[in-house]
Amino acid sequence: MQFDLPGLQQLMLTLGEKGYRARQLAEWLYLRGAESFAGMDTLPRGLRSSLEERFVFSQPRVLHKRTARDGTVGYLLELSGGVKTEAVAIPSRKRLTVCFSTQAGCALGCVFCATGALGLSRSLLPGEMLSQLAVVAADFADVRVSNVVAMGQGEPFANYDATLSALRMMNSPELFGIGARHITVSTAGLVRPIRRFASEPEQFTLAVSLHSAEQRVRDLLMPGLSSQSLDRLREALLFYMEKTARRPSLEYALIRGVNDSQQALASLLAFCRVPAPGFHVNLLTLNASGITLGLEREAMSGGAEETPSEAQGAEGRRKPLSTPSAGSSPPLSAALPTLQKAGPAAFKRFENGLTAAGVGVSRRVSKGASIAAACGQLACRSVELQEL
Ligand code: SAH
Ligand code: SF4
């Protein structure tokens, strides 16, 4: 049973209660972060006892909290079964944004992302996503959560139903009341769910992690997506734009020597040549993921020496990237094991090129890098990271 509002309403009916009790229960569970049924004093005593008899109470436990100088707060959370995941609060003058996780770890294994190096523990339930907001809301008692982004650990569209359930409760005026346009889902680009998302009635915002418009490069960077071609992704996005008239954003972390060349820009411009509303491109600064692509280095150099920690870090988690075939570009492959953020000139070139082609473009530097809480750094650590 899903404990979203319709699911809780169903439960209330089964228990012989009025439907509005579902909203009260959801408030206790997801808004107030209650820790027992006994304390839910807006519910009748009999109902509290029935709930206690039927359900085990489980709220996430904050194992560790770290605050960056820029105000970003990272929370390491333990969920039922000892599974760990993370949420991040990003306060600014006008907003409080929560970046929440939809899974513990991620199965897709993008080579630039620390979450990908963890592998997948399990997908989260809607309540486990909402409780991440409740944890932040309790910590920032005077500020309302204004924006949410599904950009924490995991791939939201690999956990589609639970994520949509959670988004609806975030959007519900009876619960968090966050406007749909202030709720963003970021997908690595799973094609079928993008088409499905196009048909949802709410105006949720869609972001797609593109990172390269060249198939060969994207396959190296995002090996878990290699079965979903860029052509199919583009078609799904065209369908999405036609159906919703909304503009998805394309996330593109510029990586030196990998996806920042003139040729890479030309491919991106070709990808962006679509009818209105068109794409908006977010150029991201690559964050230090703290992972070492030891296996890949071995695969590409034919067995270079590794330190034990490198071998251990990559062991069993990532597939080795294929050794470049004769005639393919050695500089790209050689650049992969030591991913570095691109320099200012590349940012300028991409910005100018996209603007000249009439494509909206912004730069995004994610906050929280000093506490390993920025995009691509969520690996259940409580350590500090060095800047790249
Ligand atoms: N799985 C989803 C959402 C979680 S990742 C996705 O991939 O979109 C959230 C965002 O962090 C994505 O835009 C992803 O591309 C970006 N990201 C991952 N690793 C990064 C890194 N090292 N530096 C900058 N952004 C990164
Ligand atoms: Fe998973 Fe997204 Fe990280 Fe890729 S970038 S490994 S899809 S969380």
Side-chain angles (χ1 to χ4, degrees):
M1 180 188 277
Q2 298 261 25
F3 295 115
D4 52 9
L5 275 174
L8 290 176
Q9 258 150 12
Q10 193 55 49
L11 172 67
M12 290 302 125
L13 295 182
T14 316
L15 296 176
E17 294 285 341
K18 295 261 175 11
Y20 72 89
R21 296 287 184 203
R23 181 177 47 76
Q24 291 180 322
L25 177 56
E27 274 176 18
W28 280 112
L29 290 174
Y30 304 133
L31 267 185
R32 306 198 206 186
E35 284 177 7
S36 72
F37 291 115
M40 298 180 176
D41 58 14
T42 54
L43 301 181
R45 244 177 242 287
L47 173 55
R48 282 185 258 167
S49 315
S50 317
L51 291 170
E52 232 152 34
E53 281 160 22
R54 284 176 173 75
F55 300 104
V56 177
F57 213 94
S58 119
Q59 289 287 16
R61 202 156 68 87
V62 180
L63 291 179
H64 187 268
K65 177 180 152 183
R66 53 206 199 274
T67 306
R69 266 198 305 272
D70 64 19
T72 304
V73 186
Y75 304 85
L76 174 60
L77 304 169
E78 186 180 54
L79 308 174
S80 68
V83 166
K84 294 187 186 66
T85 195
E86 282 170 282
V88 181
I90 310 152
S92 67
R93 242 178 338 122
K94 293 196 192 130
R95 290 197 283 259
L96 174 59
T97 303
V98 178
C99 172
F100 71 98
S101 297
T102 54
Q103 298 184 306
C106 182
L108 293 178
C110 303
V111 300
F112 46 81
C113 173
T115 311
L118 293 176
L120 178 68
S121 293
R122 70 165 166 85
S123 286
L124 304 191
L125 295 164
E128 292 174 320
M129 297 181 211
L130 286 163
S131 55
Q132 298 174 51
L133 269 67
V135 163
V136 174
D139 211 21
F140 286 78
D142 308 332
V143 203
R144 213 182 129 262
V145 175
S146 59
N147 296 65
V148 287
V149 291
M151 288 193 185
Q153 290 192 9
E155 167 50 41
F157 282 174
N159 186 19
Y160 189 93
D161 291 334
T163 300
L164 259 286
S165 259
L167 298 189
R168 296 213 160 98
M169 287 194 274
M170 292 172 190
N171 181 225
S172 161
E174 290 159 332
L175 290 171
F176 283 91
I178 300 165
R181 284 163 184 257
H182 296 150
I183 298 177
T184 301
V185 179
S186 177
T187 176
L190 297 184
V191 169
R192 265 205 267 167
I194 290 176
R195 289 178 174 270
R196 194 172 160 197
F197 198 59
S199 307
E200 302 294 353
E202 296 88 355
Q203 302 202 323
F204 298 129
T205 301
L206 177 66
V208 176
S209 299
L210 187 69
H211 302 306
S212 176
E214 295 176 288
Q215 194 67 58
R216 184 179 63 101
V217 180
R218 196 167 194 263
D219 289 351
L220 287 172
L221 291 174
M222 305 174 78
L225 272 295
S226 56
S227 62
Q228 321 233 331
S229 71
L230 279 164
D231 287 343
R232 284 182 60 213
L233 173 61
R234 193 162 175 275
E235 273 165 29
L237 290 170
L238 281 167
F239 175 79
Y240 174 89
M241 285 186 267
E242 205 176 280
K243 195 95 199 275
T244 65
R246 290 198 300 277
R247 177 188 290 202
S249 66
L250 301 176
E251 311 294 305
Y252 197 108
L254 277 168
I255 308 172
R256 181 176 301 177
V258 174
N259 65 359
D260 65 343
S261 65
Q262 197 58 47
Q263 175 58 41
L265 172 60
S267 303
L268 177 60
L269 291 175
F271 190 93
C272 290
R273 218 164 286 135
V274 292
F279 295 116
H280 184 93
V281 174
N282 282 321
L283 298 175
L284 315 183
T285 300
L286 183 76
N287 296 307
S289 63
I291 48 175
T292 311
L293 304 178
L295 277 180
E296 288 81 349
R297 179 180 296 154
E298 187 182 33
M300 279 175 295
S301 65
E305 245 181 63
E306 282 177 347
T307 64
S309 68
E310 282 172 341
Q312 207 176 18
E315 194 182 38
R317 293 188 189 135
R318 294 183 188 283
K319 282 184 287 182
L321 295 175
S322 54
T323 311
S325 56
S328 73
S329 156
L332 165 65
S333 311
L336 271 181
T338 51
L339 299 179
Q340 286 181 344
K341 64 184 175 194
F347 275 88
K348 200 81 213 130
R349 189 170 53 246
F350 271 63
E351 224 165 35
N352 291 344
L354 288 159
T355 307
V359 181
V361 55
S362 323
R363 285 191 198 196
R364 194 153 66 77
V365 182
S366 40
K367 292 189 166 181
S370 65
I371 53 159
C375 284
Q377 297 185 319
L378 301 180
C380 297
R381 293 174 290 208
S382 48
V383 295
E384 308 226 332
L385 286 184
Q386 298 295 316
E387 282 275 308
L388 271 176

